[in-house]
Structure formats: structure tokens, C-alpha cells
């Protein structure tokens, strides 16, 4: 974990934290989905509060059921892996430190902070109780109802409204956590030294069960001259606006605490999503938790009418004692964060030509290997060269297993791409090359998942070297070996994504791409991030190349010549 995440000094914003955009809740009135509300307080709407409370309750309900063994019990390998992985999402945070960060330990079970939800609104931080206070130390705290959570969120909203009315403005400490890790370490140390209250506030933030960010504006990208729409009637601009809200934009980047592993985000139009610090667990885990949170829409009866302005208690401000130096550091960190956001070329592609059903039933290939070959072809078409490609493979069959690297670029995938771009090649030759490439990819997938990959072993050997004693290995100084680990195409697949509009993570290199994909039976969604500042990359150009490649592959697999040579892969 240290080498993969905690020693990395780049800001978590875009570079490390993942983001996931949820589908809208069909049970919410259409007027609420457009941000219209007769009950708008400090820019926060009634249905925004309701959806936030509902999602928080559902996520914590999942956590409780998992802890109790009610779902995915420890009698199954999946249950053991999921429970251990999910525990790392809650009641912890990443602590900045020079050279290498730290993941804090969870608070003791009887800690009051462990029963609190961190909330950010207008860049202020608050904590609310989301579990009932136990009657005795041996009692298990009971999760509050959606309405009880909503009334406490509402009380916080009203407090924010009052503060804004008096001209008060928040100290945007959240943006410091989006900064370079060494810079954040220095500022965090200085901030905590200013006053004991700051240490108390910081500890509550770290120990809180999870985070909720309520944005007071709906981000909108202006429509294109000829907008495209999905069958669901969602424009590309609407999809990307939603995605950028979850990733962060210039108006909400300080309304987060970037060191928390799981943060739910809801805007005034009830568009929602989640983001999280990547070190504790792989993004598949929070996506599983999120699916449970989304799959059941809001039960309006759970809120029993409108929320009133009565203060229920059970909430607190998490304020900071600061000086001009900290305020200036916040301004500087915000300016640096804006540069990162403005350089992020982030979009989602909904490919609706076909999905995993066609790939498995008619093309007779494993969907993941097939999609990876499409990405290889799309990259080559836009760059005219090959690059080391990273794909995440879970090693959950092992105790404490996490991931291994699958190197998608192989001799066979390279040979297939060259066949596809050779105008003299035949359909038979191209299809045979595709078969070999997918067969090799499928074999490497199995090897990586069963502990027979190479990259984690090489990392282990590298860490065992004692350079202070003169130990070295020529392999690790080899230029070709170094280039083989420059993952300019960094990829990862999640679930079918029925409940998600899109997802994403940042490119690992300035001239590369970060690609997350969701492969459903009838469509494939790609979340793609690159950098505007690189003349070698363009997210729109790669999106078009992926579409072209997928259609070319369908034609190839559907040709009569190719069909005579079908070989089935089950991955």
C-alpha cells in the first residue's frame, strides 16, 4: 500500500481518488430533478436532503448487515473478502505525512465520534449522530431512521443559512486536503498546532463513519450545437456535468475532505454520486456498497411528511481556529486545485451498439478480454505506437488479497492490432490473431488472479533489496523494464453498471488515459480521463476511436470467414 498509494506525493484530487455518478432516483418528483423547490435553504433543497439521508441510511444499513453476517456471511470466500474490504471504508482517514502518508486506525467502538457522519455544506464541516447512543458499553448502536438522519441534516442546513445571512464565510480547509501531499502535511501540522480545538475537529473528521457533501449548486455544461442523447433521453452534456460534479469542479472542490475513503455527494437537483480515497480498498468495493444504496429508491413514507425547522439536537459544528497564514494557504491550494480540474479532460462514453450478451453469445469471447483488445486498437489508432497497459485483476481468493497487474499489451495483442490496421490483411488472418490475443489475455487473467502474475512479485523482490548494503538488481535499472511500467493506458473494469451513469479515475501519466468501464448486457460505459495540456491525448478523439474499434470488431466477428474459426473463452 505504501508504494502504490501512500508514498505518492501528487494531490488526491483527480490523480488518485475515484468517482462514481449514480443514476437518478425514479421515485423523486420530476420538479425536484430540475432543482425546482419551494423549500430552498442556503441553496439546499428538501429532496436533496431526503435523498442524502436515504443514501446514507442505505449504505450504513448495508454495513450493519455485512458486520452481522446477514448478507455475504463469512462462510463464503466472497463474504470474507467483502467484509474485510468494506471495513476499510468506514471510520478511518488518510493522514498526510512527509514522504509517506498514514492510514489512521479506527476509533474504539465506544467512541462517540465513530457514530457520527461528517457533513460539508458551503465548505463548512459538521458532524451529526447517525446511530442512537447505546444504553450500555456492550450494546450495539442502532442506526437511526432516514427521517431522523434527515432532521439532523436539516438542522445543519438551517445553521449554515443563518451563518451566511450574517456574512460569515467558511475557512475552506477541505481544499488543503486536495493539495500536494507534502504541502498538505506541512499545513496540517501547522493547523493542528494553532489550537486544541483544531485537533479535536480533525480527529472527529477522521473517526467519522463516512462523509456526505451537499453542494449548493447544480453544475451545468452548456449544450452542444447538435447534442446527442441516450435512449433514456440524457444528453452528453448532462452526463458529463453530473460526472464533473462528482469528480469536482471549481465551485465544490473545497466542499470535500479528500482523505475520507467514502463520501456521498448530492446536489440540489438530487443528482448523486460518491468519491473516495483509493488507498484503503479498491474501487470495486465502494461500488458494491453504492449499488445497495441506490437499488431501492426513496420511500417517501419513511420521511412522514415535510421536515420542520425544529432543532432535534445531535449535531455539532466542526470549526477551525486559523490565522492569515492558513487563509493564504487555502487560497493557494484552491488555485492549484483549479489548475488540476481545468486540465482534466473527463467524459463518459455510453456505447450502445452492443454489450456483453452479443460478445458472449455471438462473438463467443469473454467480454473483458474483448473490451481490452478494443482499447488496444483504439489507442494505436490515435497514437501510432503501443504502450504499457495496466488492467486491475482482483486477488480476493487470498487472505488480504487486493490486486495484481494484468499487462494487456502482449506480443499477441500487438500482432492483432497490426493485422487490423494492415489494409492487405484478410478477415481470416485478423480473426485468428484476435483469437490468439484473447486466449493469451484470458490466460494472463487467470494467472494474475491466482497469484501467478509478475508485478507484485517483482515489487516484493525490489523492496527486499538493501541498497545501503550495496545490493542491486540490474533488471530494475533497465530502461526497457522502466518503460514496461509506464502505464499510459491505465484501465479497470467494474460491474455491469446498471445503477451508474458513469465512473472515472485520473490518468497515471500526463500523456496517458485513465479508463474505467462498466460492461452491461446491451451496452458498455467508459469513463475516460486525460489531460487537456497534452497535445498527444484527447478524450473525445479516443472515445470516437473506441466506438470505431468496437464496430470493426463486430463486423470482423460476424464475417462468415471468421465464424468458421470460433474458439470459446469463458472469462
Amino acid at each position: 500500500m505504501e508504494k502504490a498509494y501512500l508514498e505518492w506525493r501528487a494531490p488526491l484530487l483527480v490523480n488518485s481518488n475515484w468517482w462514481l455518478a449514480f443514476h437518478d432516483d425514479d421515485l423523486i418528483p420530476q420538479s425536484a430533478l430540475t432543482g425546482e423547490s419551494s423549500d430552498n435553504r442556503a441553496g439546499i433543497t428538501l429532496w436533496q436532503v431526503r435523498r442524502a439521508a436515504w443514501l446514507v441510511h442505505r449504505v450504513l444499513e448495508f454495513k450493519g448487515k455485512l458486520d452481522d453476517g446477514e448478507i455475504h456471511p463469512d462462510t463464503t470466500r466472497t463474504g470474507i473478502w467483502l467484509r474485510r474490504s468494506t471495513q476499510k471504508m468506514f471510520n478511518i482517514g488518510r493522514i498526510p505525512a512527509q514522504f509517506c502518508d498514514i492510514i489512521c486506525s479506527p476509533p474504539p467502538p465506544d467512541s462517540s465520534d465513530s457514530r457520527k457522519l461528517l457533513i460539508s455544506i458551503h465548505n463548512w464541516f459538521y458532524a451529526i449522530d447517525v446511530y442512537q447512543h447505546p444504553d450500555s458499553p456492550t450494546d450495539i448502536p442502532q442506526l437511526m431512521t432516514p427521517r431522523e438522519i434527515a432532521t439532523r441534516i436539516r438542522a445543519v442546513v438551517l445553521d449554515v443559512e443563518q451563518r451566511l445571512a450574517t456574512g460569515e464565510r467558511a475557512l475552506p480547509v477541505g481544499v488543503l486536503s486536495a493539495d500536494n501531499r507534502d504541502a498538505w502535511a506541512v499545513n496540517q501540522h501547522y493547523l493542528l498546532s494553532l489550537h486544541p480545538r483544531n485537533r479535536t475537529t480533525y480527529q472527529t473528521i477522521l473517526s467519522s463513519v463516512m462523509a456526505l457533501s451537499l453542494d449548493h449548486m447544480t453544475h451545468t455544461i452548456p449544450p452542444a450545437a447538435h447534442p446527442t442523447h441516450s435512449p433514456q433521453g440524457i444528453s452528453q452534456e448532462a452526463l458529463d456535468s453530473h460526472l464533473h460534479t462528482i469528480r469536482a469542479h471549481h465551485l465544490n472542490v473545497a466542499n470535500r475532505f479528500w482523505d475520507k475513503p467514502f463520501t456521498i455527494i448530492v446536489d440540489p437537483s438530487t443528482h448523486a454520486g460518491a468519491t473516495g480515497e483509493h488507498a484503503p480498498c479498491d474501487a470495486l468495493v465502494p461500488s458494491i456498497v453504492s449499488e445497495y444504496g441506490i437499488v431501492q429508491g426513496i420511500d417517501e413514507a419513511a420521511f412522514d411528511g415535510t421536515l420542520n425547522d425544529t432543532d432535534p439536537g445531535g449535531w455539532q459544528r466542526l470549526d477551525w481556529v486559523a490565522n492569515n497564514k492558513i487563509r493564504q494557504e487555502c487560497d493557494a491550494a484552491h488555485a492549484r486545485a483549479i489548475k488540476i480540474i481545468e486540465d482534466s479532460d473527463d467524459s463518459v462514453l455510453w456505447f450502445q451498439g452492443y454489450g456483453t450478451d452479443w460478445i458472449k453469445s455471438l462473438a463467443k469471447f469473454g467480454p473483458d478480454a474483448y473490451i481490452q483488445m478494443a482499447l488496444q486498437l483504439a489507442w494505436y489508432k490515435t497514437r501510432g505506437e503501443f504502450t504499457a497497459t495496466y488492467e486491475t485483476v482482483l486477488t480476493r481468493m487470498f487472505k488480504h488479497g487486493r490486486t495484481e497487474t494484468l499487462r494487456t499489451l502482449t506480443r499477441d495483442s500487438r500482432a492483432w492490432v497490426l493485422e487490423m490496421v494492415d489494409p492487405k490483411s484478410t478477415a481470416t488472418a485478423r480473426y485468428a490473431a484476435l483469437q490468439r490475443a484473447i486466449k493469451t489475455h484470458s490466460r494472463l487473467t487467470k494467472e494474475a488472479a491466482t497469484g501467478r502474475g509478475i508485478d507484485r512479485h517483482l515489487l516484493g523482490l525490489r523492496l527486499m533489496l538493501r541498497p545501503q548494503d550495496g545490493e542491486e538488481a540490474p533488471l530494475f535499472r533497465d530502461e526497457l523494464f522502466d518503460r514496461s511500467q509506464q502505464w499510459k493506458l491505465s484501465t479497470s473494469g467494474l460491474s455491469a453498471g446498471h445503477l451508474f451513469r458513469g465512473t472515472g479515475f485520473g490518468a497515471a501519466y500526463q500523456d496517458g488515459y485513465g479508463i474505467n468501464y462498466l460492461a452491461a448486457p446491451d451496452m458498455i460505459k467508459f469513463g475516460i480521463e486525460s489531460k487537456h495540456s497534452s497535445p498527444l491525448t484527447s478524450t473525445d478523439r479516443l472515445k470516437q476511436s473506441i466506438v470505431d474499434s468496437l464496430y470493426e470488431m463486430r463486423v470482423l466477428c460476424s464475417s462468415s470467414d471468421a465464424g468458421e474459426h470460433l474458439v470459446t473463452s469463458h472469462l
Side-chain angles (χ1 to χ4, degrees):
M1 184 188 294
E2 284 79 8
K3 286 293 180 185
Y5 296 102
L6 300 180
E7 289 185 7
W8 205 15
R9 301 292 84 195
L12 300 183
L13 170 65
V14 175
N15 297 303
S16 181
N17 284 28
W18 49 267
W19 53 92
L20 191 61
F22 302 165
H23 267 300
D24 288 340
D25 190 331
D26 292 337
L27 299 181
I28 293 177
Q30 187 62 37
S31 60
L33 296 175
T34 59
E36 299 174 12
S37 175
S38 59
D39 191 355
N40 183 316
R41 311 299 287 267
I44 309 299
T45 65
L46 174 64
W47 278 101
Q48 180 182 7
V49 171
R50 284 179 171 176
R51 188 170 197 205
W54 183 259
L55 289 171
V56 168
H57 181 270
R58 290 280 298 173
V59 165
L60 295 181
E61 181 181 73
F62 180 87
K63 176 183 180 295
K65 289 183 176 182
L66 198 61
D67 289 343
D68 295 341
E70 187 176 338
I71 53 176
H72 301 296
D74 283 352
T75 54
T76 66
R77 182 177 293 167
T78 297
I80 294 171
W81 166 80
L82 185 58
R83 182 177 180 181
R84 287 175 175 165
S85 299
T86 302
Q87 285 174 341
K88 300 173 185 176
M89 283 176 53
F90 300 105
N91 295 114
I92 63 170
R94 178 168 171 167
I95 300 174
Q98 292 291 324
F99 308 115
C100 183
D101 292 353
I102 303 164
I103 299 295
C104 73
S105 299
D110 59 351
S111 166
S112 62
D113 285 345
S114 69
R115 302 190 296 272
K116 295 174 180 176
L117 171 74
L118 174 66
I119 298 182
S120 54
I121 306 176
H122 281 274
N123 303 340
W124 276 298
F125 291 114
Y126 289 79
I128 68 167
D129 295 330
V130 287
Y131 291 93
Q132 302 288 353
H133 191 281
D135 294 330
S136 71
T138 58
D139 289 344
I140 298 176
Q142 296 300 305
L143 177 64
M144 291 184 178
T145 66
R147 178 175 174 78
E148 289 172 326
I149 296 172
T151 57
R152 284 159 176 77
I153 296 174
R154 171 76 166 193
V156 168
V157 170
L158 296 178
D159 187 65
V160 168
E161 182 180 53
Q162 186 177 32
R163 297 173 84 169
L164 291 172
T166 62
E168 187 179 353
R169 293 295 179 268
L171 177 72
V173 169
V175 78
L176 293 179
S177 66
D179 206 2
N180 172 277
R181 300 309 293 175
D182 286 338
W184 172 216
V186 171
N187 284 323
Q188 180 253 31
H189 183 268
Y190 181 75
L191 180 65
L192 300 190
S193 71
L194 289 178
H195 197 278
R197 185 198 299 173
N198 292 349
R199 290 188 174 276
T200 302
T201 290
Y202 186 65
Q203 188 57 55
T204 299
I205 288 174
L206 293 178
S207 299
S208 60
V209 63
M210 55 177 280
L212 167 67
S213 291
L214 296 181
D215 290 343
H216 66 279
M217 81 298 291
T218 296
H219 180 62
T220 304
I221 297 174
H226 303 287
T228 58
H229 293 79
S230 71
Q232 293 86 345
I234 307 171
S235 71
Q236 183 66 53
E237 291 75 25
L239 288 173
D240 288 346
S241 295
H242 189 172
L243 200 67
H244 293 180
T245 292
I246 310 306
R247 178 206 61 188
H249 54 72
H250 68 290
L251 292 177
N252 69 8
V253 66
N255 200 43
R256 314 274 187 271
F257 199 80
W258 293 93
D259 291 339
K260 291 296 285 184
F262 191 69
T263 299
I264 289 177
I265 300 158
V266 187
D267 77 3
S269 300
T270 72
H271 298 322
T275 186
E277 202 282 300
H278 210 155
C281 58
D282 204 55
L284 176 63
V285 178
S287 77
I288 294 171
V289 176
S290 296
E291 284 181 329
Y292 184 92
I294 310 165
V295 68
Q296 182 177 327
I298 288 179
D299 179 3
E300 192 170 355
F303 295 94
D304 191 25
T306 61
L307 298 174
N308 56 45
D309 293 351
T310 303
D311 188 347
W315 62 275
Q316 67 187 97
R317 293 178 176 182
L318 297 179
D319 288 340
W320 309 91
V321 176
N323 57 17
N324 286 334
K325 174 178 169 54
I326 285 295
R327 294 186 182 92
Q328 291 170 1
E329 290 295 337
C330 288
D331 290 341
H334 189 268
R336 289 189 287 269
I338 295 305
K339 288 184 178 180
I340 293 173
I341 292 168
E342 290 179 345
D343 195 30
S344 178
D345 186 3
D346 177 37
S347 184
V348 61
L349 163 65
W350 283 20
F351 175 77
Q352 298 164 94
Y354 56 93
T356 58
D357 279 354
W358 185 88
I359 297 171
K360 290 185 291 187
S361 62
L362 295 176
K364 307 292 185 182
F365 286 126
D368 185 76
Y370 184 97
I371 293 169
Q372 285 289 329
M373 293 308 111
L375 295 178
Q376 287 294 301
L377 182 57
W379 166 278
Y380 188 84
K381 285 180 176 181
T382 62
R383 297 289 281 267
E385 63 181 9
F386 294 95
T387 186
T389 305
Y390 179 102
E391 182 188 0
T392 303
V393 174
L394 291 177
T395 54
R396 62 185 179 185
M397 67 182 300
F398 297 98
K399 186 176 182 179
H400 304 306
R402 182 157 172 178
T403 64
E404 173 59 282
T405 303
L406 172 56
R407 294 170 174 248
T408 302
L409 176 62
T410 62
R411 280 192 291 265
D412 289 328
S413 67
R414 179 181 182 275
W416 172 70
V417 170
L418 292 178
E419 287 285 356
M420 290 296 291
V421 297
D422 181 359
K424 298 179 182 179
S425 182
T426 64
T428 300
R430 290 172 175 173
Y431 188 79
L434 177 60
Q435 283 184 308
R436 288 191 296 271
I438 287 183
K439 183 178 180 180
T440 297
H441 189 91
S442 300
R443 173 178 57 81
L444 292 175
T445 302
K446 292 178 181 178
E447 290 177 357
T450 54
R452 292 176 291 155
I454 64 171
D455 283 277
R456 299 298 179 263
H457 293 290
L458 288 171
L459 176 62
L461 291 170
R462 194 170 195 168
L463 294 176
M464 289 175 66
L465 289 175
R466 294 171 294 187
Q468 68 274 15
D469 295 336
E471 292 184 353
E472 62 176 30
L475 172 66
F476 299 137
R477 293 185 284 104
D478 187 272
E479 179 185 357
L480 185 59
F481 178 76
D482 180 65
R483 287 180 57 195
S484 77
Q485 293 184 310
Q486 293 178 15
W487 315 113
K488 295 187 178 181
L489 196 54
S490 181
T491 70
S492 181
L494 286 179
S495 61
H498 296 297
L499 302 173
F500 304 134
R501 280 185 166 183
T503 180
F505 59 83
Y509 286 84
Q510 195 69 17
D511 59 345
Y513 294 95
I515 304 177
N516 211 200
Y517 51 90
L518 306 163
D522 58 351
M523 69 182 302
I524 308 169
K525 300 171 188 172
F526 296 87
I528 305 173
E529 201 276 342
S530 64
K531 309 303 178 190
H532 287 295
S533 58
S534 173
L536 299 176
T537 60
S538 164
T539 293
D540 280 344
R541 187 166 68 243
L542 185 68
K543 284 168 60 176
Q544 186 59 55
S545 186
I546 291 172
V547 170
D548 293 343
S549 298
L550 286 168
Y551 278 125
E552 286 179 30
M553 292 173 72
R554 185 175 69 173
V555 171
L556 175 64
C557 294
S558 300
S559 67
S560 57
D561 289 340
E564 298 174 0
H565 305 283
L566 289 174
V567 174
T568 301
S569 167
H570 298 288
L571 283 180

